[in-house]
Amino acid sequence: PDSIQMAVLVQRLVEADYAFVLHTANPLSGDPTEMYGEVVVGQGEALVGNHPGRALGFTCKKDMGSPPVVKSVPSKTFGLFGTGLIFRSDSNAEDLPGFAGAGLFDSIPMVQHKQRVISYRKERLVQDKAFQAELMKSLCSVAVEVEKACGGVPQDIEGCWHDGQLHVVQTRPQVGLEGGGS
């Protein structure tokens, strides 16, 4: 860029029960009519920070003509919990071309995350199939609405679920799609 513009974003961390990342065009198949999502127990850093283990992965047709399909079961050993503020640099020169969220600087949480071992034998996300199905359908609806609000451009969406409410914390154009996102 000819000139660099910089900002520091300050966000309050939601004390998440679950965190998610949604791709409004399935990045595994390239299908623009199907979204792909991942959900973890606790805050999203366990998912986007590349902590060991898998998230609950699922696909859902955006027309909601069929129920969501589970693609992977969660196996993350720990969930991260806490609340506070997070500081994140953001500039028009920070992201690396072709990589979603591949900024040069880390987000800095002003909270010490508490790690908790996840017992999936007791975890609602795994054991309560009605809750799981309803959460996945709700996330599909959110993905469709966010993509629509962004002019139909496929989106990479991050958010969380706390006390029965979904919170979208950021969205950006989805990258790595043939003829699609940047």
Side-chain angles (χ1 to χ4, degrees), residues 24 146-156 171-174 180-182:
T24 64
V146 169
E147 183 180 80
K148 183 178 173 184
C150 292
V153 174
Q155 295 292 301
D156 174 349
T171 189
R172 61 182 159 259
Q174 190 173 334
S182 50

Side-chain angles (χ1 to χ4, degrees), residues 121-139:
R121 288 179 297 130
K122 300 175 185 173
E123 175 50 52
R124 183 179 185 196
L125 182 63
V126 173
Q127 298 303 324
D128 185 341
K129 297 300 182 192
F131 169 74
Q132 182 187 81
E134 190 55 41
L135 180 62
M136 290 186 300
K137 284 192 290 188
S138 295
L139 292 174

Side-chain angles (χ1 to χ4, degrees), residues 3 19 75 87 93 117-118 154:
S3 70
S75 65
F87 295 82
V117 174
I118 306 300

Side-chain angles (χ1 to χ4, degrees), residues 108-125:
I108 301 172
M110 299 307 291
V111 62
Q112 185 66 34
H113 284 116
K114 296 175 186 104
Q115 284 191 357
R116 187 183 79 201
V117 174
I118 306 300
S119 172
Y120 290 104
R121 288 179 297 130
K122 300 175 185 173
E123 175 50 52
R124 183 179 185 196
L125 182 63

Side-chain angles (χ1 to χ4, degrees), residues 49-113:
N50 203 25
H51 290 256
R54 296 190 63 97
L56 172 74
F58 69 98
T59 58
C60 185
K61 290 293 187 184
K62 293 193 289 192
D63 66 7
M64 304 292 281
S66 57
V69 176
V70 173
K71 296 296 186 176
S72 64
V73 294
S75 65
K76 299 264 183 194
T77 306
F78 295 97
L80 299 174
F81 300 88
T83 188
L85 296 176
I86 190 166
F87 295 82
R88 180 177 176 268
S89 66
D90 193 23
S91 79
N92 62 336
E94 180 181 349
D95 286 341
L96 302 174
F99 293 92
L104 301 175
F105 305 104
D106 287 334
S107 297
I108 301 172
M110 299 307 291
V111 62
Q112 185 66 34
H113 284 116

